[in-house]
Amino acid sequence: MKARTAKIFLLAIFSSLLLSVMPLSAQSRQNQGFPQNSAQGTTEQNGNITQPLIPNISVQVTEPQSGREVAFSVRLLLLLTVLTLAPSILILLTCFLRFSIVLDFIKRALSLQQVPPTAVLNGIAFFMTLFAMWPTFSDIYNKAYKPLSDGEIGIEEAYAEAESPLRLFMFSQMAEDDSYIVMFMDMANITLPEEPTLADIPTYVLIPSYILHELTVAFKIGVLLYIPFIIIDMVVASVLMAMGMMMLPPVQISMPFKLILFVLVDGWGLLTQQLFTSVLP
């Protein structure tokens, strides 16, 4: 009786172990390839999610229906062209070229490497140019831009009105020295009168003549600015050689003296005043 009870008890234990092992084996086959003791789960894609719609982009070229559309397209094209060439126009057709070169010369004459930065010098030259060229810019705005925006004149008339003040400014800067005008007129095979007027000089001759003239004037001013500072460098170098300090850079000793001299004589004020006087006598 006891033996039969023990067999029944062992059979029950074996059956329970078999039933507990079967789900684990099925789960292990299902989770094959996953790390041990990883959590079981399923992933399903949401059926409510739709694919993103990318719109079609097309470019159409159509014929204008009226002259107003043509004028607007041409005006937009000219505006984009002016915005693209604005830096070149600002640098070459104004006194910005002279101001920026002279300011860079004074920085090098003072033996300054990082102070003031180039961006600061260009900013100073820019606002000095606005101050000196304000009458010219006012004429362009009043005679060209405002009538064009009000619809009183056309594009060709606006261009002529905007060109006239700039031509007058460039020609006035070369009133005392017209050598570059004569040179470019000879290169273009154009006969120049003995007493040339502004109407006798084409724009494509006036612009390069003005650019070379501004470069020449700026370099002349730069040479004059260099002379007193070169004298200071020579004196300091002579003193250092007499004292036997030939290994000490003279620029390192002369720079404070040049800065002191420049500040005592109010160098920035004198330089600015003379620059404006050279442009607007």
Side-chain angles (χ1 to χ4, degrees), residues 57-85:
I57 300 175
S58 61
V59 179
Q60 297 181 356
V61 180
T62 59
E63 295 183 359
Q65 302 298 326
S66 61
R68 187 181 299 273
E69 294 183 2
V70 177
F72 176 76
S73 300
V74 174
R75 186 178 301 178
L76 181 62
L77 179 62
L78 291 177
L79 178 61
L80 294 176
T81 304
V82 170
L83 291 177
T84 304
L85 300 177

Side-chain angles (χ1 to χ4, degrees), residues 25 41 50 110 137 139 166 170 173 177 181 236 253-254 262:
S25 61
T50 58
L110 290 172
F137 292 155
D139 291 341
L166 282 177
M170 291 187 290
Q173 298 300 312
D177 184 12
I181 295 178
V236 171
I253 305 300
S254 64
F262 189 73

